[in-house]
Amino acid sequence: MTFIKQMKERPRQLLMIFLVGLLLLVISLPVEEKKEEIDSEQCLSEIKEDAYAKQLENKLEQVLTEMEGVGQVRVMLTFQESSEKIVEKDENNTVYERPQTGGEMPYIVQEVFARPSGILVIAEGGKNAVTVQNIREAVQALFGVEAHKIKIMKMRKSS
């Protein structure tokens, strides 16, 4: 009687082991691909944000050095949030594109870069109150940052 019970339960055990193995295989494959895709996309996004910040800093430095009384300038921008990607939607459903590399990615309509939240300007003319006010007004006009989030300092003398 024990032998008959073992024979009946053996196919069930083998079937359960097979199903658990199959489930683990199915779960492990897509997760690895998605993780690599997200990491590379996130890395690319960070590189774009850094390049964007550097470009803004360089442009602001160029503009400020053209102002009378400012002299040499160094600029640093800080951002409170990161860029945002706006995805195409069709009646509340996300629209996807299929790149040649395979898979699906949401169709990005627009990418909105982060706005500066704080600005530091170090200028040779930072000791003159009129020059400091002109720099502050120019930065406010360009970036819409509140006056208390803009700091203008005098540059130390080069040796």
Side-chain angles (χ1 to χ4, degrees):
M1 194 136 161
T2 312
F3 179 72
I4 295 172
K5 277 187 178 179
Q6 287 178 350
M7 292 301 285
K8 286 183 178 178
E9 295 214 10
R10 192 166 207 78
R12 285 184 184 168
Q13 290 173 347
L14 289 174
L15 181 62
M16 290 298 283
I17 291 171
F18 175 73
L19 290 175
V20 168
L22 185 62
L23 180 64
L24 289 174
L25 180 66
V26 169
I27 289 174
S28 68
L29 291 176
V31 172
E32 290 177 17
E33 290 175 19
K34 292 253 183 203
K35 191 173 186 179
E36 289 174 14
E37 185 178 304
I38 290 170
D39 289 344
S40 64
E41 185 177 320
Q42 187 177 20
C43 186
L44 183 61
S45 179
E46 288 174 7
I47 291 170
K48 280 184 182 179
E49 288 176 13
D50 288 345
Y52 172 71
K54 193 66 179 163
Q55 183 181 13
L56 283 180
E57 288 173 352
N58 289 339
K59 281 186 174 184
L60 183 57
E61 285 177 4
Q62 289 173 354
V63 167
L64 292 178
T65 56
E66 296 296 319
M67 291 174 57
E68 186 176 333
V70 175
Q72 271 192 327
V73 174
R74 296 279 304 170
V75 173
M76 180 178 169
L77 303 175
T78 59
F79 299 85
Q80 192 166 16
E81 59 228 20
S82 61
S83 63
E84 177 184 0
K85 294 179 180 177
I86 300 171
V87 176
E88 178 71 25
K89 292 202 179 241
D90 180 27
E91 296 180 21
N92 297 328
N93 295 322
T94 302
V95 175
Y96 290 93
E97 63 180 329
R98 291 186 176 90
Q100 292 178 344
T101 57
E104 285 186 336
M105 294 177 58
Y107 182 73
I108 307 295
V109 177
Q110 181 181 13
E111 187 169 358
V112 179
F113 287 101
R115 294 178 50 158
S117 60
I119 300 172
L120 171 65
V121 178
I122 302 172
E124 284 181 325
K127 63 183 177 265
N128 184 318
V130 173
T131 303
V132 168
Q133 185 60 30
N134 288 339
I135 293 171
R136 182 170 283 113
E137 289 173 2
V139 170
Q140 279 184 291
L142 289 171
F143 297 106
V145 176
E146 299 165 4
H148 70 278
K149 294 185 178 184
I150 302 168
K151 180 69 176 172
I152 295 120
M153 301 181 76
K154 179 185 172 194
M155 185 178 281
R156 66 181 159 98
K157 294 183 181 185
S158 320
S159 35

